[in-house]
Amino acid sequence: MDNAAIADVFDEMAQLLEFRGENPFRIRAYTNGSKAIRELDESVAAILADPERDLSKVPGIGKTLAEKSKVLVETGSLPQLETLRKEIPEVVIQMARIPGLGAKKAVKLQQELALESLGDLRKACHEDKISSLKGFGAKTQAAILDGLSIAEAAAARIYWCDADELAASIGRHMESCKVISKMQWAGSYRRGRETVGDLDLLVVADDHAAVMDHLEAYHSHSQTIVRGDTKISIRVGKSFQVDMRVVEADQFGAALQYFTGSQAHNIHTRRLAKEQGLKINEYGVFQLDDESRVAGSTEQDVYAAIGLPWIAPELREDRREFEAAASGTLPELIETEDVIGDLHMHTNATDGTATIREMADAAIARGLQYIAITDHSKRVSMAMGLDEKRLREQWKAIDEIRSEYDGRLTILKGIECDILERGGMDLADDCLAEADWVLASIHYGQKQPRDQITERILGAIENPHVSCIAHPTGRLINRRPPYDVDMDAVMTAAKKHGTFMELNANPARLDLNDLHLAAAKRMGIPIVISTDAHSIDGLGVMQYGIKQARRGGLTKADVANTRPWSEWTK
Ligand SMILES: [Zn+2]
Ligand SMILES: [Zn+2]
């Protein structure tokens, strides 16, 4: 078993233990071990085989995981994992994503009704089998039916960041295949959609069989669904599908354009082609009258053949990209390197894991010039949110270390202040007035009716001390729907009062979404992209926010934290 496969086993152990509500330290041991093994530059098997070496001495691994690695290398499986898998079937994990259902009830339902899929659960609801079960009732049954679509979406589509990790891993594996001369990912992954249903790989290779054999040798390949002469579909891990197509070099651009999509974008390109007496398909661009070939080897050529500049994949949704392309106004999309500040992060004063200093040092290492420390306010009692007194103490501590960071990093005194259920801010105005940066956000009363939620957010926007609305819709992708909020009213008010809107870069949030971002851009509302980091590693999610911002058509100029802090005005 190779390192990547061992790391996958440890990740799955962590996931299942977490599901069972095990000790967090035990869970972290597995995630740390997985990370350590993934980053090792030699094979675990080689270390184990060397009597002079001791795997347990490798940082992040330790005695227990070294022993488990040995079992994995020798036998190819881990008895503890097999036991856990039996105890917690996949469908239970899927069911637990139904809002409000929870792990315990999911286990009970699965056992009582012998469910094997979410489809079985839906059927059981329709046949009214759940309302009569002890501890469930008609209300729960209705709530399950209501939330099933979220769980179904989650079972079918993974977060973009997870797809990205998988694509990188498969990419590294395929790089060692000598017959490949060109390789690129297409599909919704390339377009940066917030969730991805499957991965599409395009390769140019002389030997089709060899390249397909190589893909089938990928460590977590679990099944070949179909294998033909130019296309192969496999499953990796439990169920995720990866398609690979082998194309000719002179068709590569046309295939890339075609398989990147979206479907709506491609329908539009075909229509434009037809109007010009041309035909576009996955093999190239052709003259309609004599079928002669016009373009196909690069995407640039394909777009040029229909009179357009190359369009960035993130924009290919048939929204306004064709208008912009035709008029030469395609946006120059923002890049991760453009961001020089991060204005939303937590420390161990509330639910973060690092100190202010640790966050500051990590921010410098990532090339940032300024950060705001924005811990929770007191309403978030389960995260030990700060009251005015503790917050002022934290600001004093920031004052004390500021000079150490002079010329390297500006540390701003901030707060993520809750918008109370009844409206109004969780902390006194005189305290908020002393902050450099105030985020306002909702963590409670998320299911209130539209008018009430909207009023609460409007109230925060109108508060002169509030700088920015954090995660404005509160959604968690695949887990929780957005609040029922009138975004038009919120954006109009934000524009009027000069309040910033956050794009929260956490891959589970990505809130605002791409359509909201495009609307904010049209209205001239500046966006702040923030990580909402709860640890030093959490600062690394900025890239996912950038991907989302690109889908919204945002440029460097549309994003406020690309500018030096000295240039900011509310
Ligand atoms: Zn928050
Ligand atoms: Zn936060």
Side-chain angles (χ1 to χ4, degrees), residues 83-362:
T83 312
L84 275 172
R85 276 181 177 165
K86 278 204 197 87
E87 185 185 326
I88 308 164
E90 180 66 12
V91 65
V92 168
I93 294 176
Q94 294 172 353
M95 282 162 64
R97 297 196 190 107
I98 297 171
L101 188 62
K104 280 208 182 98
K105 280 192 167 174
V107 170
K108 191 160 178 240
L109 267 184
Q110 194 272 330
Q111 288 172 349
E112 298 249 348
L113 300 171
L115 305 171
E116 285 179 9
S117 69
L118 292 175
D120 289 353
L121 179 62
R122 190 176 279 282
K123 203 160 151 251
C125 288
H126 286 308
E127 289 169 358
D128 199 19
K129 281 186 179 158
I130 290 165
S131 62
S132 55
L133 287 178
K134 198 169 165 256
F136 286 89
K139 233 176 141 182
T140 314
Q141 180 170 288
I144 289 174
L145 206 47
D146 220 34
L148 247 173
S149 57
I150 286 185
E152 282 164 343
R157 299 185 71 87
I158 62 175
Y159 289 160
W160 188 88
C161 68
D162 295 328
D164 186 47
E165 202 174 288
L166 182 59
S169 167
I170 296 173
R172 281 193 298 274
H173 170 75
M174 295 308 286
E175 265 166 25
S176 64
C177 181
K178 297 284 176 276
V179 299
I180 296 179
S181 57
K182 212 173 204 175
M183 174 169 88
Q184 193 162 348
W185 293 100
S188 57
Y189 165 65
R190 182 166 180 238
R191 300 201 313 280
R193 272 196 62 179
E194 56 201 35
T195 59
V196 174
D198 52 30
L199 281 171
D200 302 280
L201 184 62
L202 294 179
V203 299
V204 176
D206 294 335
D207 186 341
H208 292 201
V211 69
M212 289 186 189
D213 290 347
H214 198 91
L215 182 65
E216 285 181 321
Y218 179 63
H219 72 83
S220 64
H221 164 269
S222 54
Q223 186 196 346
T224 295
I225 303 163
V226 54
R227 177 171 165 161
D229 185 37
T230 57
K231 187 195 164 187
I232 178 170
S233 293
I234 64 164
R235 286 195 197 288
V236 299
K238 274 172 262 175
S239 64
F240 198 76
Q241 184 169 336
V242 178
D243 296 339
M244 180 177 74
R245 288 179 177 81
V246 191
V247 302
E248 301 303 317
D250 63 350
Q251 300 170 346
F252 188 78
L256 185 59
Q257 197 280 330
Y258 183 88
F259 290 110
T260 295
S262 64
Q263 205 183 0
H265 178 90
N266 286 355
I267 289 171
H268 199 139
T269 52
R270 286 200 290 273
R271 194 175 76 227
L272 290 177
K274 209 169 164 195
E275 285 167 10
Q276 300 171 46
L278 298 166
K279 180 176 88 177
I280 289 191
N281 58 30
E282 60 186 283
Y283 307 108
V285 186
F286 303 89
Q287 294 286 359
L288 268 180
D289 45 16
D290 62 359
E291 299 271 310
S292 66
R293 192 186 163 81
V294 181
S297 61
T298 71
E299 270 193 336
Q300 277 79 1
D301 295 347
V302 169
Y303 282 105
I306 53 170
L308 294 177
W310 181 80
I311 299 173
E314 292 93 335
L315 298 175
R316 298 183 195 171
E317 300 291 344
D318 195 21
R319 288 174 186 161
R320 293 171 191 236
E321 72 270 24
F322 289 100
E323 278 169 64
S327 62
T329 54
L330 278 172
E332 195 175 313
L333 300 178
I334 184 170
E335 308 272 355
T336 306
E337 300 72 48
D338 293 333
V339 166
I340 57 172
D342 189 347
L343 295 174
H344 187 164
M345 66 187 67
H346 299 265
T347 72
N348 59 2
T350 61
D351 57 351
T353 59
T355 63
I356 299 171
R357 246 200 200 86
E358 285 164 346
M359 293 306 278
D361 293 339

Side-chain angles (χ1 to χ4, degrees), residues 459-534:
I461 289 173
E462 285 158 17
N463 183 314
H465 307 302
V466 169
S467 324
C468 178
I469 304 297
H471 45 75
T473 76
R475 67 148 176 192
L476 292 176
I477 298 169
N478 284 349
R479 294 211 296 265
R480 187 172 75 203
Y483 330 129
D484 188 4
V485 52
D486 181 349
M487 281 305 283
D488 289 339
V490 166
M491 295 232 206
T492 305
K495 171 78 185 161
K496 179 173 163 209
H497 292 274
T499 308
F500 294 96
M501 298 285 276
E502 179 181 86
L503 161 51
N504 192 296
N506 182 312
R509 290 192 180 272
L510 296 176
D511 179 8
L512 300 170
N513 70 21
D514 50 358
L515 291 168
H516 293 141
L517 291 168
K521 178 188 165 95
R522 277 198 297 280
M523 293 174 73
I525 299 168
I527 297 296
V528 179
I529 309 179
S530 304
T531 62
D532 200 355
H534 285 67

